[in-house]
Amino acid sequence: MNAETSAITAKGARTRGSIIEEAVRAASVGGIESLSIGALANRLKISKSGLFAHFGSRESLQLAVLQEAVERVTNEAIRPALKEPRGLPRLTRFMENWIGWPERARLPGGCPFIAAALELDDRPGELRDFVADKSRELVGTIERLIRDAIETGELRRDIDVSQLAFELHGIAYGHIVWSRLLDRKGSRTRALTAFHKLIEKHRSPSG
Amino acid sequence: MNAETSAITAKGARTRGSIIEEAVRAASVGGIESLSIGALANRLKISKSGLFAHFGSRESLQLAVLQEAVERVTNEAIRPALKEPRGLPRLTRFMENWIGWPERARLPGGCPFIAAALELDDRPGELRDFVADKSRELVGTIERLIRDAIETGELRRDIDVSQLAFELHGIAYGHIVWSRLLDRKGSRTRALTAFHKLIEKHRSPSG
Protein backbone atom coordinates (compact mmCIF):
# COMPACT_ATOMS: atom_id res chain seq x y z
CA MET A 1 0.00 0.00 0.00
CA ASN A 2 1.54 3.35 -0.97
CA ALA A 3 1.22 6.53 1.07
CA GLU A 4 -1.68 7.81 -0.98
CA THR A 5 -3.84 4.65 -0.65
CA SER A 6 -2.98 4.50 3.03
CA ALA A 7 -4.18 8.08 3.52
CA ILE A 8 -7.40 7.28 1.65
CA THR A 9 -7.95 4.15 3.78
CA ALA A 10 -7.35 6.11 6.99
CA LYS A 11 -9.85 8.73 5.84
CA GLY A 12 -12.30 5.90 4.98
CA ALA A 13 -11.95 4.44 8.47
CA ARG A 14 -12.56 7.88 10.01
CA THR A 15 -15.68 8.34 7.89
CA ARG A 16 -16.91 4.83 8.77
CA GLY A 17 -16.29 5.63 12.41
CA SER A 18 -18.26 8.87 12.29
CA ILE A 19 -21.14 7.17 10.45
CA ILE A 20 -21.33 4.50 13.16
CA GLU A 21 -21.05 7.13 15.91
CA GLU A 22 -24.01 9.06 14.46
CA ALA A 23 -25.97 5.86 13.77
CA VAL A 24 -25.51 4.60 17.35
CA ARG A 25 -26.85 7.92 18.65
CA ALA A 26 -29.82 7.75 16.26
CA ALA A 27 -30.58 4.12 17.24
CA SER A 28 -30.31 5.08 20.91
CA VAL A 29 -33.14 7.58 20.42
CA GLY A 30 -35.33 6.02 17.73
CA GLY A 31 -34.52 2.31 17.87
CA ILE A 32 -32.64 0.15 15.39
CA GLU A 33 -35.58 -0.05 12.98
CA SER A 34 -35.77 3.73 12.69
CA LEU A 35 -32.30 3.99 11.12
CA SER A 36 -32.53 5.69 7.75
CA ILE A 37 -29.60 5.90 5.34
CA GLY A 38 -31.03 9.13 3.90
CA ALA A 39 -31.44 10.87 7.26
CA LEU A 40 -27.96 9.80 8.38
CA ALA A 41 -26.32 10.98 5.15
CA ASN A 42 -28.12 14.30 5.58
CA ARG A 43 -26.89 14.82 9.13
CA LEU A 44 -23.33 13.82 8.24
CA LYS A 45 -23.41 15.98 5.08
CA ILE A 46 -22.29 13.10 2.86
CA SER A 47 -24.09 11.57 -0.11
CA LYS A 48 -26.30 8.50 0.24
CA SER A 49 -24.06 6.67 -2.26
CA GLY A 50 -21.03 7.66 -0.13
CA LEU A 51 -22.72 6.11 2.88
CA PHE A 52 -23.66 2.98 0.91
CA ALA A 53 -19.99 2.66 -0.12
CA HIS A 54 -19.20 2.01 3.54
CA PHE A 55 -22.03 -0.34 4.45
CA GLY A 56 -23.64 -1.69 1.28
CA SER A 57 -27.07 -2.02 2.87
CA ARG A 58 -29.23 -0.68 5.66
CA GLU A 59 -29.10 -4.08 7.36
CA SER A 60 -25.31 -4.17 7.46
CA LEU A 61 -25.33 -0.65 8.96
CA GLN A 62 -27.83 -1.86 11.59
CA LEU A 63 -25.59 -4.84 12.36
CA ALA A 64 -22.56 -2.54 12.70
CA VAL A 65 -24.54 -0.37 15.16
CA LEU A 66 -25.47 -3.42 17.26
CA GLN A 67 -21.85 -4.64 17.22
CA GLU A 68 -20.73 -1.21 18.39
CA ALA A 69 -23.35 -1.27 21.18
CA VAL A 70 -22.03 -4.67 22.35
CA GLU A 71 -18.49 -3.27 22.30
CA ARG A 72 -19.59 -0.31 24.42
CA VAL A 73 -21.53 -2.28 27.03
CA THR A 74 -18.51 -4.61 27.29
CA ASN A 75 -16.22 -1.62 27.89
CA GLU A 76 -18.61 0.07 30.31
CA ALA A 77 -19.87 -2.87 32.35
CA ILE A 78 -17.90 -6.08 31.85
CA ARG A 79 -14.22 -5.02 31.53
CA PRO A 80 -14.22 -2.81 34.68
CA ALA A 81 -15.91 -5.64 36.62
CA LEU A 82 -13.13 -8.06 35.66
CA LYS A 83 -10.67 -5.83 37.53
CA GLU A 84 -12.53 -6.53 40.79
CA PRO A 85 -11.79 -9.64 42.86
CA ARG A 86 -13.68 -12.71 41.63
CA GLY A 87 -16.99 -13.27 43.44
CA LEU A 88 -19.44 -10.79 44.93
CA PRO A 89 -17.27 -7.67 44.33
CA ARG A 90 -17.12 -8.51 40.62
CA LEU A 91 -20.87 -9.25 40.34
CA THR A 92 -21.66 -6.03 42.23
CA ARG A 93 -19.39 -3.89 40.06
CA PHE A 94 -20.95 -5.42 36.94
CA MET A 95 -24.49 -4.54 38.10
CA GLU A 96 -23.46 -1.03 39.19
CA ASN A 97 -21.90 -0.38 35.80
CA TRP A 98 -24.56 -2.10 33.72
CA ILE A 99 -27.49 -0.16 35.23
CA GLY A 100 -27.54 3.17 33.44
CA TRP A 101 -24.41 2.67 31.31
CA PRO A 102 -25.92 4.57 28.31
CA GLU A 103 -26.18 7.77 30.39
CA ARG A 104 -22.53 7.45 31.47
CA ALA A 105 -21.55 6.76 27.85
CA ARG A 106 -23.45 9.97 26.92
CA LEU A 107 -25.90 8.24 24.60
CA PRO A 108 -28.85 10.58 24.10
CA GLY A 109 -31.44 7.77 24.38
CA GLY A 110 -31.31 4.36 26.02
CA CYS A 111 -29.22 1.30 25.18
CA PRO A 112 -29.66 0.61 21.44
CA PHE A 113 -29.17 -3.08 22.16
CA ILE A 114 -31.91 -3.48 24.75
CA ALA A 115 -34.39 -1.56 22.60
CA ALA A 116 -33.46 -3.82 19.67
CA ALA A 117 -34.14 -6.89 21.83
CA LEU A 118 -37.82 -5.94 22.02
CA GLU A 119 -38.02 -4.50 18.50
CA LEU A 120 -36.66 -7.62 16.87
CA ASP A 121 -37.96 -10.44 19.07
CA ASP A 122 -40.57 -11.49 16.50
CA ARG A 123 -38.65 -10.72 13.31
CA PRO A 124 -36.54 -13.65 12.09
CA GLY A 125 -33.27 -12.72 10.42
CA GLU A 126 -29.60 -11.94 10.90
CA LEU A 127 -30.20 -8.95 13.20
CA ARG A 128 -32.49 -10.87 15.53
CA ASP A 129 -30.03 -13.80 15.65
CA PHE A 130 -27.20 -11.41 16.56
CA VAL A 131 -29.22 -9.74 19.32
CA ALA A 132 -30.44 -13.09 20.69
CA ASP A 133 -26.90 -14.60 20.64
CA LYS A 134 -25.35 -11.60 22.38
CA SER A 135 -28.18 -11.45 24.94
CA ARG A 136 -27.63 -15.16 25.70
CA GLU A 137 -23.91 -14.44 26.09
CA LEU A 138 -24.72 -11.67 28.55
CA VAL A 139 -26.99 -13.97 30.56
CA GLY A 140 -24.14 -16.52 30.45
CA THR A 141 -21.78 -13.87 31.84
CA ILE A 142 -24.21 -13.06 34.67
CA GLU A 143 -24.58 -16.76 35.46
CA ARG A 144 -20.80 -17.15 35.57
CA LEU A 145 -20.44 -14.17 37.92
CA ILE A 146 -23.08 -15.72 40.22
CA ARG A 147 -21.34 -19.13 40.13
CA ASP A 148 -18.04 -17.44 41.00
CA ALA A 149 -19.65 -15.85 44.06
CA ILE A 150 -20.97 -19.28 45.10
CA GLU A 151 -17.47 -20.76 44.72
CA THR A 152 -15.92 -18.01 46.83
CA GLY A 153 -18.46 -18.93 49.50
CA GLU A 154 -20.16 -15.52 49.44
CA LEU A 155 -23.45 -16.81 47.98
CA ARG A 156 -25.26 -19.97 49.10
CA ARG A 157 -24.52 -23.28 47.38
CA ASP A 158 -28.21 -24.15 46.89
CA ILE A 159 -28.97 -21.11 44.70
CA ASP A 160 -30.80 -21.66 41.39
CA VAL A 161 -28.24 -19.76 39.28
CA SER A 162 -30.48 -19.20 36.23
CA GLN A 163 -33.34 -18.04 38.43
CA LEU A 164 -31.12 -15.39 40.05
CA ALA A 165 -29.77 -14.38 36.61
CA PHE A 166 -33.38 -13.94 35.43
CA GLU A 167 -34.13 -11.73 38.42
CA LEU A 168 -31.02 -9.56 37.85
CA HIS A 169 -31.85 -9.23 34.15
CA GLY A 170 -35.38 -8.11 35.06
CA ILE A 171 -34.00 -5.38 37.33
CA ALA A 172 -32.07 -3.92 34.40
CA TYR A 173 -35.16 -3.85 32.16
CA GLY A 174 -37.32 -2.42 34.92
CA HIS A 175 -34.75 0.32 35.40
CA ILE A 176 -34.89 1.31 31.74
CA VAL A 177 -38.67 1.62 31.69
CA TRP A 178 -38.89 3.50 35.00
CA SER A 179 -36.08 5.93 34.21
CA ARG A 180 -36.75 6.56 30.52
CA LEU A 181 -40.50 6.20 30.02
CA LEU A 182 -41.96 6.90 33.44
CA ASP A 183 -39.36 9.60 34.18
CA ARG A 184 -39.22 8.37 37.77
CA LYS A 185 -36.40 9.99 39.69
CA GLY A 186 -34.22 7.64 41.67
CA SER A 187 -34.71 4.64 39.37
CA ARG A 188 -31.01 3.83 39.57
CA THR A 189 -31.25 3.71 43.38
CA ARG A 190 -34.36 1.49 43.09
CA ALA A 191 -32.51 -0.88 40.75
CA LEU A 192 -29.43 -1.10 42.98
CA THR A 193 -31.62 -1.51 46.08
CA ALA A 194 -33.41 -4.40 44.35
CA PHE A 195 -30.01 -5.93 43.54
CA HIS A 196 -28.68 -5.61 47.09
CA LYS A 197 -31.92 -7.02 48.56
CA LEU A 198 -31.58 -10.06 46.27
CA ILE A 199 -27.93 -10.55 47.22
CA GLU A 200 -28.72 -10.35 50.94
CA LYS A 201 -31.38 -13.01 50.45
CA HIS A 202 -28.89 -15.32 48.72
CA ARG A 203 -25.81 -14.62 50.84
CA SER A 204 -24.34 -17.65 52.51
CA PRO A 205 -24.41 -17.58 56.33
CA SER A 206 -20.59 -17.65 56.38
CA GLY A 207 -20.17 -15.13 53.49
CA MET B 1 -81.24 7.26 12.06
CA ASN B 2 -83.16 5.19 9.48
CA ALA B 3 -82.60 1.46 8.91
CA GLU B 4 -80.27 2.05 5.96
CA THR B 5 -77.91 4.50 7.76
CA SER B 6 -77.94 2.22 10.77
CA ALA B 7 -76.87 -0.74 8.60
CA ILE B 8 -74.09 1.37 7.04
CA THR B 9 -72.89 2.46 10.49
CA ALA B 10 -72.91 -1.13 11.74
CA LYS B 11 -70.86 -2.20 8.71
CA GLY B 12 -68.46 0.70 9.37
CA ALA B 13 -68.01 -0.39 12.96
CA ARG B 14 -67.32 -3.96 11.82
CA THR B 15 -64.70 -2.74 9.34
CA ARG B 16 -63.09 -0.48 11.95
CA GLY B 17 -63.02 -3.46 14.31
CA SER B 18 -61.33 -5.72 11.78
CA ILE B 19 -58.77 -3.03 10.92
CA ILE B 20 -57.86 -2.66 14.60
CA GLU B 21 -57.77 -6.46 15.06
CA GLU B 22 -55.30 -6.82 12.18
CA ALA B 23 -53.29 -3.76 13.29
CA VAL B 24 -52.96 -5.08 16.88
CA ARG B 25 -51.63 -8.37 15.49
CA ALA B 26 -49.18 -6.52 13.23
CA ALA B 27 -47.99 -4.28 16.10
CA SER B 28 -47.62 -7.36 18.32
CA VAL B 29 -45.11 -8.78 15.83
CA GLY B 30 -43.38 -5.72 14.37
CA GLY B 31 -43.89 -3.00 16.95
CA ILE B 32 -46.06 0.10 16.83
CA GLU B 33 -43.64 1.99 14.58
CA SER B 34 -43.77 -0.74 11.92
CA LEU B 35 -47.50 -0.19 11.25
CA SER B 36 -48.05 0.65 7.61
CA ILE B 37 -51.40 1.80 6.22
CA GLY B 38 -50.51 0.30 2.82
CA ALA B 39 -49.56 -3.13 4.17
CA LEU B 40 -52.67 -3.27 6.36
CA ALA B 41 -54.99 -2.26 3.52
CA ASN B 42 -53.37 -4.96 1.41
CA ARG B 43 -53.90 -7.70 3.98
CA LEU B 44 -57.50 -6.62 4.62
CA LYS B 45 -58.18 -6.28 0.89
CA ILE B 46 -59.53 -2.75 1.26
CA SER B 47 -58.26 0.44 -0.35
CA LYS B 48 -55.82 2.75 1.42
CA SER B 49 -58.38 5.55 1.14
CA GLY B 50 -61.00 3.24 2.68
CA LEU B 51 -58.64 2.66 5.59
CA PHE B 52 -57.91 6.39 5.91
CA ALA B 53 -61.67 7.01 6.05
CA HIS B 54 -61.68 5.15 9.38
CA PHE B 55 -58.57 6.59 10.98
CA GLY B 56 -57.52 9.75 9.15
CA SER B 57 -53.82 9.27 9.87
CA ARG B 58 -51.24 6.64 10.70
CA GLU B 59 -50.80 8.18 14.13
CA SER B 60 -54.49 7.91 15.00
CA LEU B 61 -54.42 4.25 13.91
CA GLN B 62 -51.37 3.71 16.17
CA LEU B 63 -53.21 5.38 19.05
CA ALA B 64 -56.27 3.16 18.44
CA VAL B 65 -54.00 0.09 18.55
CA LEU B 66 -52.47 1.17 21.86
CA GLN B 67 -55.94 1.90 23.29
CA GLU B 68 -57.04 -1.57 22.23
CA ALA B 69 -53.92 -3.10 23.85
CA VAL B 70 -54.77 -1.30 27.12
CA GLU B 71 -58.35 -2.61 26.89
CA ARG B 72 -57.07 -6.16 26.41
CA VAL B 73 -54.54 -6.12 29.25
CA THR B 74 -57.28 -4.71 31.48
CA ASN B 75 -59.60 -7.56 30.49
CA GLU B 76 -56.91 -10.23 30.79
CA ALA B 77 -55.09 -9.16 33.93
CA ILE B 78 -56.90 -6.48 35.95
CA ARG B 79 -60.63 -7.38 35.74
CA PRO B 80 -60.18 -11.07 36.71
CA ALA B 81 -57.97 -9.99 39.65
CA LEU B 82 -60.70 -7.70 40.97
CA LYS B 83 -62.91 -10.77 41.45
CA GLU B 84 -60.41 -12.15 43.99
CA PRO B 85 -60.53 -11.10 47.65
CA ARG B 86 -58.70 -7.82 48.29
CA GLY B 87 -55.09 -8.30 49.38
CA LEU B 88 -52.57 -10.99 48.46
CA PRO B 89 -55.02 -13.18 46.45
CA ARG B 90 -55.82 -10.18 44.24
CA LEU B 91 -52.15 -9.18 43.77
CA THR B 92 -51.23 -12.80 43.01
CA ARG B 93 -54.00 -13.25 40.46
CA PHE B 94 -52.98 -10.00 38.78
CA MET B 95 -49.36 -11.14 38.41
CA GLU B 96 -50.39 -14.63 37.23
CA ASN B 97 -52.62 -13.11 34.57
CA TRP B 98 -50.29 -10.28 33.58
CA ILE B 99 -47.27 -12.54 32.93
CA GLY B 100 -47.79 -13.98 29.47
CA TRP B 101 -51.23 -12.45 28.78
CA PRO B 102 -50.46 -11.93 25.04
CA GLU B 103 -50.03 -15.70 24.53
CA ARG B 104 -53.37 -16.40 26.24
CA ALA B 105 -54.97 -13.65 24.13
CA ARG B 106 -53.50 -15.42 21.06
CA LEU B 107 -51.43 -12.45 19.93
CA PRO B 108 -48.79 -13.73 17.50
CA GLY B 109 -46.02 -11.56 19.00
CA GLY B 110 -45.60 -9.95 22.40
CA CYS B 111 -47.60 -7.21 24.11
CA PRO B 112 -47.85 -4.28 21.66
CA PHE B 113 -47.93 -1.92 24.61
CA ILE B 114 -44.71 -3.05 26.29
CA ALA B 115 -42.84 -3.00 22.99
CA ALA B 116 -44.16 0.52 22.39
CA ALA B 117 -42.87 1.57 25.82
CA LEU B 118 -39.29 0.99 24.66
CA GLU B 119 -39.88 2.11 21.08
CA LEU B 120 -41.31 5.46 22.07
CA ASP B 121 -39.42 6.34 25.26
CA ASP B 122 -37.29 8.94 23.48
CA ARG B 123 -39.84 10.25 20.98
CA PRO B 124 -41.94 13.13 22.30
CA GLY B 125 -45.52 13.21 21.08
CA GLU B 126 -49.08 12.06 21.67
CA LEU B 127 -48.25 8.35 21.38
CA ARG B 128 -45.42 8.52 23.92
CA ASP B 129 -47.61 10.53 26.30
CA PHE B 130 -50.36 7.93 26.04
CA VAL B 131 -47.96 5.02 26.67
CA ALA B 132 -46.29 6.85 29.57
CA ASP B 133 -49.65 7.78 31.16
CA LYS B 134 -51.04 4.26 30.89
CA SER B 135 -47.78 2.73 32.16
CA ARG B 136 -47.92 5.07 35.17
CA GLU B 137 -51.53 4.02 35.73
CA LEU B 138 -50.46 0.38 35.69
CA VAL B 139 -47.69 1.05 38.22
CA GLY B 140 -50.32 2.89 40.29
CA THR B 141 -52.55 -0.19 40.12
CA ILE B 142 -49.69 -2.44 41.26
CA GLU B 143 -48.93 -0.04 44.13
CA ARG B 144 -52.59 -0.07 45.19
CA LEU B 145 -52.70 -3.89 45.14
CA ILE B 146 -49.56 -3.95 47.34
CA ARG B 147 -51.05 -1.38 49.75
CA ASP B 148 -54.25 -3.46 49.97
CA ALA B 149 -52.18 -6.51 50.96
CA ILE B 150 -50.46 -4.42 53.65
CA GLU B 151 -53.86 -3.28 54.96
CA THR B 152 -55.16 -6.84 55.11
CA GLY B 153 -52.10 -7.66 57.23
CA GLU B 154 -50.66 -10.12 54.69
CA LEU B 155 -47.65 -7.98 53.79
CA ARG B 156 -45.45 -6.12 56.30
CA ARG B 157 -46.27 -2.52 57.24
CA ASP B 158 -42.70 -1.29 56.69
CA ILE B 159 -42.58 -2.18 52.98
CA ASP B 160 -41.38 0.44 50.49
CA VAL B 161 -44.42 0.13 48.19
CA SER B 162 -42.85 1.77 45.12
CA GLN B 163 -39.70 -0.32 45.50
CA LEU B 164 -41.75 -3.53 45.47
CA ALA B 165 -43.80 -2.25 42.51
CA PHE B 166 -40.52 -1.58 40.65
CA GLU B 167 -39.37 -5.13 41.36
CA LEU B 168 -42.66 -6.66 40.16
CA HIS B 169 -42.59 -4.52 37.01
CA GLY B 170 -39.02 -5.72 36.31
CA ILE B 171 -40.13 -9.36 36.57
CA ALA B 172 -42.68 -8.78 33.81
CA TYR B 173 -40.10 -7.20 31.49
CA GLY B 174 -37.53 -9.89 32.26
CA HIS B 175 -40.16 -12.50 31.39
CA ILE B 176 -40.78 -10.95 27.98
CA VAL B 177 -37.11 -10.91 27.02
CA TRP B 178 -36.40 -14.43 28.28
CA SER B 179 -39.47 -16.00 26.69
CA ARG B 180 -39.56 -14.12 23.39
CA LEU B 181 -35.96 -13.27 22.52
CA LEU B 182 -33.92 -15.88 24.38
CA ASP B 183 -36.53 -18.61 23.72
CA ARG B 184 -35.90 -19.93 27.21
CA LYS B 185 -38.41 -22.58 28.19
CA GLY B 186 -39.98 -22.18 31.59
CA SER B 187 -39.75 -18.36 31.65
CA ARG B 188 -43.27 -18.11 33.03
CA THR B 189 -42.30 -20.40 35.91
CA ARG B 190 -39.15 -18.29 36.50
CA ALA B 191 -41.25 -15.12 36.59
CA LEU B 192 -43.83 -16.55 39.00
CA THR B 193 -41.05 -18.04 41.17
CA ALA B 194 -39.43 -14.59 41.35
CA PHE B 195 -42.82 -13.13 42.34
CA HIS B 196 -43.47 -15.71 45.08
CA LYS B 197 -39.92 -15.33 46.45
CA LEU B 198 -40.47 -11.57 46.71
CA ILE B 199 -43.82 -12.02 48.41
CA GLU B 200 -42.37 -14.48 50.94
CA LYS B 201 -39.66 -11.93 51.75
CA HIS B 202 -42.28 -9.22 52.36
CA ARG B 203 -44.94 -11.31 54.10
CA SER B 204 -45.88 -10.12 57.57
CA PRO B 205 -45.08 -12.58 60.37
CA SER B 206 -48.79 -12.81 61.18
CA GLY B 207 -49.92 -12.95 57.50
Side-chain angles (χ1 to χ4, degrees):
Chain A
M1 198 187 281
N2 62 31
E4 199 180 328
T5 350
S6 166
I8 291 172
T9 314
K11 182 163 178 283
R14 273 201 306 281
T15 309
R16 193 177 197 279
S18 57
I19 295 170
I20 290 185
E21 177 67 34
E22 192 60 38
V24 167
R25 295 174 62 86
S28 163
V29 172
I32 198 75
E33 286 293 9
S34 78
L35 280 185
S36 142
I37 297 267
L40 268 179
N42 231 345
R43 284 190 70 141
L44 290 161
K45 296 187 173 55
I46 58 180
S47 66
K48 276 173 79 166
S49 57
L51 207 148
F52 268 116
H54 284 279
F55 292 97
S57 73
R58 180 168 169 265
E59 193 173 33
S60 66
L61 172 66
Q62 289 174 310
L63 192 58
V65 164
L66 293 174
Q67 282 164 338
E68 175 68 19
V70 168
E71 186 59 32
R72 291 193 189 181
V73 76
T74 306
N75 282 335
E76 292 286 337
I78 299 178
R79 291 214 176 100
L82 293 178
K83 291 183 191 155
E84 295 291 329
R86 193 169 153 268
L88 210 43
R90 190 173 288 178
L91 176 61
T92 304
R93 175 60 68 95
F94 166 76
M95 284 297 289
E96 286 173 351
N97 286 359
W98 187 29
I99 302 291
W101 77 265
E103 290 76 25
R104 285 196 308 286
R106 299 214 196 118
L107 282 179
C111 168
F113 199 81
I114 281 192
L118 284 185
E119 276 183 279
L120 300 170
D121 61 350
D122 297 305
R123 281 185 256 185
E126 195 186 3
L127 289 180
R128 183 200 188 279
D129 290 347
F130 180 80
V131 171
D133 284 349
K134 291 297 168 183
S135 299
R136 280 192 202 98
E137 271 179 41
L138 185 65
V139 171
T141 299
I142 299 173
E143 288 173 338
R144 200 164 56 247
L145 295 175
I146 295 169
R147 257 185 239 109
D148 283 353
I150 294 174
E151 281 174 22
T152 57
E154 291 159 298
L155 296 183
R156 288 202 322 269
R157 299 220 156 265
D158 64 349
I159 286 177
D160 179 338
V161 172
S162 291
Q163 177 68 33
L164 184 53
F166 170 89
E167 292 165 9
L168 298 184
H169 212 186
I171 290 172
Y173 278 88
H175 170 258
I176 290 165
V177 175
W178 278 49
S179 63
R180 304 207 64 81
L181 178 72
L182 306 185
D183 301 322
R184 288 255 186 151
K185 298 246 184 303
S187 300
R188 182 182 164 80
T189 307
R190 290 239 174 273
L192 293 177
T193 300
F195 168 66
H196 289 295
K197 278 169 66 183
L198 266 178
I199 292 304
E200 283 319 305
K201 197 172 148 48
H202 293 86
R203 199 185 276 274
S204 80
S206 58
Chain B
M1 199 186 282
N2 63 30
E4 198 180 331
T5 349
S6 165
I8 291 172
T9 314
K11 183 163 177 285
R14 273 200 307 280
T15 309
R16 194 177 196 279
S18 57
I19 295 170
I20 291 185
E21 178 67 35
E22 191 61 38
V24 167
R25 295 173 62 85
S28 164
V29 173
I32 198 75
E33 286 293 9
S34 78
L35 281 184
S36 141
I37 298 266
L40 268 179
N42 232 346
R43 285 190 69 141
L44 291 160
K45 296 186 174 56
I46 58 180
S47 66
K48 277 173 77 166
S49 58
L51 207 148
F52 268 116
H54 285 279
F55 291 98
S57 72
R58 180 168 169 265
E59 192 173 34
S60 67
L61 172 65
Q62 289 174 311
L63 193 58
V65 164
L66 293 174
Q67 283 165 338
E68 175 68 21
V70 168
E71 185 60 32
R72 291 192 189 182
V73 77
T74 305
N75 282 335
E76 292 286 336
I78 299 178
R79 292 214 176 100
L82 293 177
K83 290 181 190 156
E84 296 291 329
R86 191 169 153 270
L88 210 43
R90 191 172 288 178
L91 175 61
T92 304
R93 174 61 67 93
F94 166 76
M95 284 296 288
E96 286 172 351
N97 287 359
W98 187 30
I99 302 290
W101 78 265
E103 288 78 24
R104 285 194 309 285
R106 300 214 194 118
L107 282 180
C111 170
F113 199 81
I114 280 192
L118 284 185
E119 277 184 278
L120 300 170
D121 62 350
D122 296 305
R123 283 185 255 183
E126 195 186 2
L127 289 181
R128 184 202 188 277
D129 291 347
F130 180 80
V131 171
D133 284 349
K134 292 296 168 182
S135 298
R136 280 192 203 99
E137 271 180 42
L138 186 65
V139 171
T141 298
I142 299 173
E143 288 173 337
R144 199 165 56 246
L145 294 176
I146 295 169
R147 256 184 240 110
D148 283 353
I150 294 174
E151 281 174 24
T152 57
E154 292 159 297
L155 295 183
R156 288 202 320 269
R157 299 220 156 265
D158 64 350
I159 286 177
D160 179 338
V161 173
S162 291
Q163 177 69 32
L164 185 53
F166 170 89
E167 292 164 11
L168 298 184
H169 212 186
I171 291 172
Y173 278 88
H175 170 257
I176 290 166
V177 175
W178 278 48
S179 63
R180 305 207 64 81
L181 178 71
L182 306 186
D183 300 323
R184 288 252 186 155
K185 297 244 185 302
S187 300
R188 181 181 164 80
T189 307
R190 291 240 173 271
L192 293 177
T193 300
F195 168 67
H196 289 295
K197 278 169 68 183
L198 266 177
I199 291 304
E200 282 319 305
K201 197 172 148 48
H202 293 87
R203 199 185 276 274
S204 80
S206 58

